[in-house]
Tab-separated table of all heavy atoms in Angstrom:
chain	number	residue	atom	x	y	z
V	36	VAL	N	5.210	10.131	12.361
V	36	VAL	CA	4.467	11.380	12.686
V	36	VAL	C	5.461	12.485	12.945
V	36	VAL	O	6.387	12.286	13.693
V	36	VAL	CB	3.713	11.056	14.051
V	36	VAL	CG1	3.042	12.332	14.620
V	36	VAL	CG2	2.807	9.997	14.060
V	37	SER	N	5.207	13.681	12.414
V	37	SER	CA	6.213	14.715	12.542
V	37	SER	C	5.478	15.907	13.283
V	37	SER	O	4.424	16.332	12.815
V	37	SER	CB	6.773	15.109	11.149
V	37	SER	OG	7.850	15.933	11.403
V	38	GLU	N	6.202	16.469	14.249
V	38	GLU	CA	5.549	17.478	15.104
V	38	GLU	C	6.313	18.733	15.118
V	38	GLU	O	7.517	18.686	14.634
V	38	GLU	CB	5.443	16.904	16.557
V	38	GLU	CG	4.768	15.597	16.652
V	38	GLU	CD	5.066	14.994	18.083
V	38	GLU	OE1	5.782	15.552	18.861
V	38	GLU	OE2	4.407	13.923	18.284
V	40	HIS	N	7.700	21.679	17.785
V	40	HIS	CA	7.882	22.038	19.184
V	40	HIS	C	8.473	23.534	19.194
V	40	HIS	O	8.823	23.932	18.123
V	40	HIS	CB	8.799	21.065	19.957
V	40	HIS	CG	8.328	19.716	19.988
V	40	HIS	ND1	8.228	18.966	21.159
V	40	HIS	CD2	7.745	18.911	18.976
V	40	HIS	CE1	7.755	17.677	20.872
V	40	HIS	NE2	7.529	17.718	19.552
V	42	MET	N	9.176	27.444	19.441
V	42	MET	CA	8.608	28.825	19.289
V	42	MET	C	7.240	28.748	18.601
V	42	MET	O	6.347	29.535	19.056
V	42	MET	CB	9.548	29.849	18.563
V	42	MET	CG	9.004	31.202	18.496
V	42	MET	SD	10.101	32.294	17.758
V	42	MET	CE	10.610	33.262	19.189
V	45	ARG	N	3.821	28.841	20.328
V	45	ARG	CA	3.194	30.031	21.086
V	45	ARG	C	2.079	30.639	20.272
V	45	ARG	O	2.335	31.777	19.787
V	45	ARG	CB	4.233	30.979	21.485
V	45	ARG	CG	5.403	30.308	22.312
V	45	ARG	CD	5.057	30.342	23.802
V	45	ARG	NE	6.028	29.509	24.467
V	45	ARG	CZ	5.784	28.250	24.895
V	45	ARG	NH1	4.590	27.601	24.582
V	45	ARG	NH2	6.702	27.477	25.565
V	54	ARG	N	1.768	9.924	8.584
V	54	ARG	CA	1.839	9.099	7.388
V	54	ARG	C	1.941	7.697	7.799
V	54	ARG	O	2.503	7.243	8.735
V	54	ARG	CB	3.161	9.491	6.645
V	54	ARG	CG	3.336	10.999	6.337
V	54	ARG	CD	4.547	11.195	5.330
V	54	ARG	NE	4.040	10.668	4.021
V	54	ARG	CZ	4.926	10.112	3.149
V	54	ARG	NH1	6.169	9.818	3.402
V	54	ARG	NH2	4.384	9.651	1.972
V	61	SER	N	9.666	9.517	4.063
V	61	SER	CA	9.725	10.861	4.638
V	61	SER	C	8.807	11.113	5.730
V	61	SER	O	7.593	10.635	5.724
V	61	SER	CB	9.288	11.880	3.508
V	61	SER	OG	9.123	13.152	4.008
V	63	VAL	N	7.560	13.976	6.497
V	63	VAL	CA	6.716	15.178	6.238
V	63	VAL	C	5.788	14.974	5.124
V	63	VAL	O	6.109	14.065	4.179
V	63	VAL	CB	7.529	16.481	6.079
V	63	VAL	CG1	8.408	16.643	7.362
V	63	VAL	CG2	8.380	16.353	4.813
V	65	ASP	N	4.021	16.909	1.740
V	65	ASP	CA	4.427	18.092	0.947
V	65	ASP	C	3.176	18.496	0.214
V	65	ASP	O	2.171	17.901	0.222
V	65	ASP	CB	5.511	17.705	-0.114
V	65	ASP	CG	6.498	18.817	-0.286
V	65	ASP	OD1	6.037	20.047	-0.260
V	65	ASP	OD2	7.694	18.626	-0.407
V	66	GLN	N	3.346	19.653	-0.520
V	66	GLN	CA	2.116	20.134	-1.319
V	66	GLN	C	1.590	19.112	-2.207
V	66	GLN	O	2.308	18.401	-2.971
V	66	GLN	CB	2.540	21.361	-2.116
V	66	GLN	CG	2.883	22.541	-1.250
V	66	GLN	CD	2.977	23.804	-2.051
V	66	GLN	OE1	3.374	23.805	-3.257
V	66	GLN	NE2	2.698	24.951	-1.307
V	68	GLU	N	-0.050	16.389	-1.541
V	68	GLU	CA	0.102	15.002	-0.976
V	68	GLU	C	-0.908	14.454	-0.027
V	68	GLU	O	-1.148	13.335	0.215
V	68	GLU	CB	1.475	14.736	-0.438
V	68	GLU	CG	2.577	14.849	-1.507
V	68	GLU	CD	3.984	14.421	-0.970
V	68	GLU	OE1	4.086	14.464	0.269
V	68	GLU	OE2	4.822	13.995	-1.703
V	76	GLU	N	-9.054	24.960	12.851
V	76	GLU	CA	-9.412	26.363	12.732
V	76	GLU	C	-9.605	26.591	11.232
V	76	GLU	O	-8.759	26.203	10.515
V	76	GLU	CB	-8.365	27.202	13.349
V	76	GLU	CG	-8.756	28.652	13.796
V	76	GLU	CD	-8.591	29.673	12.656
V	76	GLU	OE1	-7.894	29.358	11.666
V	76	GLU	OE2	-9.175	30.766	12.692
V	79	GLU	N	-6.725	28.177	9.086
V	79	GLU	CA	-5.571	27.177	8.877
V	79	GLU	C	-5.883	26.186	7.841
V	79	GLU	O	-5.029	25.769	7.124
V	79	GLU	CB	-5.324	26.627	10.229
V	79	GLU	CG	-4.779	27.514	11.341
V	79	GLU	CD	-3.640	28.465	10.858
V	79	GLU	OE1	-2.620	27.925	10.326
V	79	GLU	OE2	-3.705	29.675	10.993
V	82	ARG	N	-5.090	28.015	4.729
V	82	ARG	CA	-3.621	28.206	4.653
V	82	ARG	C	-3.050	27.093	3.985
V	82	ARG	O	-2.103	27.109	3.106
V	82	ARG	CB	-2.998	28.549	5.931
V	82	ARG	CG	-1.523	28.780	5.953
V	82	ARG	CD	-0.931	28.871	7.349
V	82	ARG	NE	-1.714	29.674	8.230
V	82	ARG	CZ	-1.871	31.025	8.299
V	82	ARG	NH1	-1.084	31.665	7.252
V	82	ARG	NH2	-2.549	31.631	9.096
V	90	GLY	N	-8.596	15.109	-5.011
V	90	GLY	CA	-9.700	14.145	-4.456
V	90	GLY	C	-9.635	14.013	-2.936
V	90	GLY	O	-10.338	13.251	-2.351
V	100	ILE	N	-10.207	31.882	14.852
V	100	ILE	CA	-9.471	32.497	15.800
V	100	ILE	C	-8.551	33.572	15.063
V	100	ILE	O	-7.746	33.249	14.181
V	100	ILE	CB	-8.384	31.526	16.486
V	100	ILE	CG1	-9.255	30.504	17.267
V	100	ILE	CG2	-7.462	32.176	17.581
V	100	ILE	CD1	-8.425	29.283	17.892
V	106	ILE	N	-5.814	41.008	14.539
V	106	ILE	CA	-5.996	41.768	15.749
V	106	ILE	C	-5.497	43.139	15.705
V	106	ILE	O	-6.170	44.100	16.125
V	106	ILE	CB	-5.380	40.878	17.014
V	106	ILE	CG1	-6.193	39.608	17.255
V	106	ILE	CG2	-5.386	41.818	18.211
V	106	ILE	CD1	-5.505	38.758	18.265
V	119	LYS	N	-15.273	29.336	-0.400
V	119	LYS	CA	-14.059	29.610	-1.282
V	119	LYS	C	-13.253	28.272	-1.505
V	119	LYS	O	-12.869	28.077	-2.621
V	119	LYS	CB	-13.286	30.714	-0.659
V	119	LYS	CG	-13.900	32.025	-0.893
V	119	LYS	CD	-13.088	33.116	-0.077
V	119	LYS	CE	-13.763	34.496	-0.332
V	119	LYS	NZ	-13.230	35.453	0.656
U	37	GLU	N	13.921	17.111	24.475
U	37	GLU	CA	13.282	15.912	25.049
U	37	GLU	C	14.054	14.715	25.178
U	37	GLU	O	13.777	13.812	25.945
U	37	GLU	CB	12.171	15.522	24.051
U	37	GLU	CG	11.057	16.573	23.712
U	37	GLU	CD	11.465	17.679	22.661
U	37	GLU	OE1	12.518	17.559	22.154
U	37	GLU	OE2	10.749	18.625	22.602
U	113	SER	N	12.837	27.081	15.427
U	113	SER	CA	12.959	27.742	16.858
U	113	SER	C	14.332	28.116	17.071
U	113	SER	O	14.882	27.714	18.150
U	113	SER	CB	12.424	26.667	17.755
U	113	SER	OG	12.040	27.383	18.994
U	165	ARG	N	13.741	17.364	12.123
U	165	ARG	CA	12.882	16.263	11.537
U	165	ARG	C	13.143	14.934	11.979
U	165	ARG	O	12.282	14.037	12.041
U	165	ARG	CB	12.970	16.350	10.031
U	165	ARG	CG	12.265	17.489	9.311
U	165	ARG	CD	10.871	17.791	9.724
U	165	ARG	NE	10.325	19.018	9.107
U	165	ARG	CZ	9.217	19.580	9.405
U	165	ARG	NH1	8.431	18.967	10.393
U	165	ARG	NH2	8.848	20.722	9.002
U	168	HIS	N	12.109	15.401	16.097
U	168	HIS	CA	10.597	15.604	16.416
U	168	HIS	C	9.703	14.856	15.535
U	168	HIS	O	8.579	15.187	15.276
U	168	HIS	CB	10.307	17.127	16.331
U	168	HIS	CG	10.845	17.838	17.479
U	168	HIS	ND1	11.034	19.307	17.587
U	168	HIS	CD2	11.292	17.393	18.720
U	168	HIS	CE1	11.504	19.618	18.847
U	168	HIS	NE2	11.734	18.504	19.482
U	169	SER	N	10.215	13.702	15.039
U	169	SER	CA	9.295	12.821	14.262
U	169	SER	C	9.322	11.494	15.083
U	169	SER	O	10.260	11.098	15.615
U	169	SER	CB	9.836	12.597	12.816
U	169	SER	OG	9.751	13.770	12.101
U	170	GLN	N	8.102	10.892	14.967
U	170	GLN	CA	7.923	9.627	15.616
U	170	GLN	C	8.068	8.488	14.528
U	170	GLN	O	7.397	8.602	13.410
U	170	GLN	CB	6.612	9.380	16.316
U	170	GLN	CG	6.361	10.443	17.515
U	170	GLN	CD	4.964	10.279	18.036
U	170	GLN	OE1	4.479	9.240	18.323
U	170	GLN	NE2	4.230	11.439	18.109
U	246	GLU	N	11.795	8.688	-0.660
U	246	GLU	CA	10.489	8.850	-1.027
U	246	GLU	C	10.279	9.245	-2.459
U	246	GLU	O	9.287	8.914	-3.143
U	246	GLU	CB	10.031	10.203	-0.042
U	246	GLU	CG	8.590	10.532	-0.182
U	246	GLU	CD	7.659	9.551	0.476
U	246	GLU	OE1	8.152	8.934	1.547
U	246	GLU	OE2	6.467	9.319	0.047
U	312	SER	N	12.540	18.822	1.499
U	312	SER	CA	11.319	18.043	1.525
U	312	SER	C	11.308	17.267	0.257
U	312	SER	O	12.170	17.431	-0.633
U	312	SER	CB	10.040	18.973	1.544
U	312	SER	OG	9.867	19.593	0.212
U	313	GLN	N	10.337	16.306	0.078
U	313	GLN	CA	10.469	15.373	-1.061
U	313	GLN	C	10.100	16.256	-2.319
U	313	GLN	O	10.754	15.974	-3.348
U	313	GLN	CB	9.369	14.268	-0.939
U	313	GLN	CG	7.976	14.579	-0.464
U	313	GLN	CD	7.836	14.447	1.122
U	313	GLN	OE1	8.779	14.783	1.763
U	313	GLN	NE2	6.702	13.905	1.417
U	314	ASN	N	9.247	17.159	-2.312
U	314	ASN	CA	9.011	17.997	-3.530
U	314	ASN	C	10.138	18.767	-3.927
U	314	ASN	O	10.493	18.972	-5.097
U	314	ASN	CB	7.730	18.870	-3.366
U	314	ASN	CG	6.442	18.150	-3.457
U	314	ASN	OD1	6.370	16.943	-3.699
U	314	ASN	ND2	5.272	18.946	-3.380
U	328	TYR	N	-5.021	22.279	-5.700
U	328	TYR	CA	-5.989	23.267	-5.096
U	328	TYR	C	-5.189	24.551	-4.576
U	328	TYR	O	-4.203	24.394	-3.970
U	328	TYR	CB	-6.767	22.666	-3.902
U	328	TYR	CG	-7.460	21.344	-4.296
U	328	TYR	CD1	-6.989	20.181	-3.766
U	328	TYR	CD2	-8.622	21.462	-5.070
U	328	TYR	CE1	-7.682	19.049	-4.057
U	328	TYR	CE2	-9.275	20.267	-5.457
U	328	TYR	CZ	-8.768	19.089	-4.992
U	328	TYR	OH	-9.400	17.903	-5.312
U	332	GLU	N	-7.021	34.282	-2.864
U	332	GLU	CA	-6.615	35.308	-1.988
U	332	GLU	C	-5.554	35.035	-0.952
U	332	GLU	O	-5.310	33.855	-0.741
U	332	GLU	CB	-7.997	35.901	-1.290
U	332	GLU	CG	-8.499	34.929	-0.232
U	332	GLU	CD	-9.798	35.364	0.233
U	332	GLU	OE1	-9.719	36.297	1.100
U	332	GLU	OE2	-10.762	34.865	-0.177
U	335	PRO	N	-3.940	35.653	5.723
U	335	PRO	CA	-3.055	36.462	6.772
U	335	PRO	C	-2.241	35.439	7.569
U	335	PRO	O	-2.643	34.346	7.818
U	335	PRO	CB	-4.088	37.041	7.766
U	335	PRO	CG	-5.427	37.104	7.042
U	335	PRO	CD	-5.319	35.921	6.123
U	337	ARG	N	0.038	33.837	10.583
U	337	ARG	CA	-0.239	33.650	12.042
U	337	ARG	C	1.083	33.293	12.750
U	337	ARG	O	1.510	32.274	13.046
U	337	ARG	CB	-1.119	32.428	12.249
U	337	ARG	CG	-1.722	32.315	13.618
U	337	ARG	CD	-2.594	31.107	13.870
U	337	ARG	NE	-3.717	31.011	13.077
U	337	ARG	CZ	-4.921	31.650	13.324
U	337	ARG	NH1	-5.083	32.338	14.430
U	337	ARG	NH2	-5.936	31.388	12.492
U	339	PRO	N	3.849	33.270	15.780
U	339	PRO	CA	3.730	33.006	17.291
U	339	PRO	C	3.626	34.418	17.974
U	339	PRO	O	4.072	35.395	17.574
U	339	PRO	CB	5.051	32.316	17.636
U	339	PRO	CG	5.861	32.573	16.546
U	339	PRO	CD	5.189	32.876	15.363
U	340	VAL	N	2.895	34.334	19.145
U	340	VAL	CA	2.616	35.443	19.984
U	340	VAL	C	2.817	35.160	21.434
U	340	VAL	O	2.799	33.990	21.808
U	340	VAL	CB	1.143	36.033	19.756
U	340	VAL	CG1	1.049	36.605	18.377
U	340	VAL	CG2	0.127	34.967	20.054
U	445	GLY	N	10.908	28.949	29.736
U	445	GLY	CA	9.569	28.870	29.125
U	445	GLY	C	9.576	28.258	27.734
U	445	GLY	O	8.913	27.315	27.363
U	540	MET	N	-5.996	47.334	22.426
U	540	MET	CA	-5.324	46.507	21.313
U	540	MET	C	-3.704	46.805	21.366
U	540	MET	O	-3.071	46.023	20.628
U	540	MET	CB	-5.891	46.887	19.975
U	540	MET	CG	-7.365	46.715	19.946
U	540	MET	SD	-7.872	44.960	20.233
U	540	MET	CE	-7.408	44.204	18.620
U	543	GLY	N	-1.298	43.767	22.301
U	543	GLY	CA	-1.254	42.625	21.488
U	543	GLY	C	-1.609	41.207	22.276
U	543	GLY	O	-0.961	40.263	22.125
Side-chain angles (χ1 to χ4, degrees):
Chain V
V36 178
S37 192
E38 307 165 352
H40 299 227
M42 182 176 253
R45 303 275 170 261
R54 308 192 68 217
S61 171
V63 302
D65 218 323
Q66 290 194 333
E68 290 189 337
E76 199 273 347
E79 296 309 309
R82 182 187 315 287
I100 300 173
I106 289 175
K119 285 172 184 166
Chain U
E37 299 81 6
S113 199
R165 291 302 175 190
H168 288 164
S169 293
Q170 300 177 46
E246 185 74 35
S312 68
Q313 48 265 39
N314 280 3
Y328 307 107
E332 66 188 285
R337 191 184 299 275
V340 293
M540 303 300 285

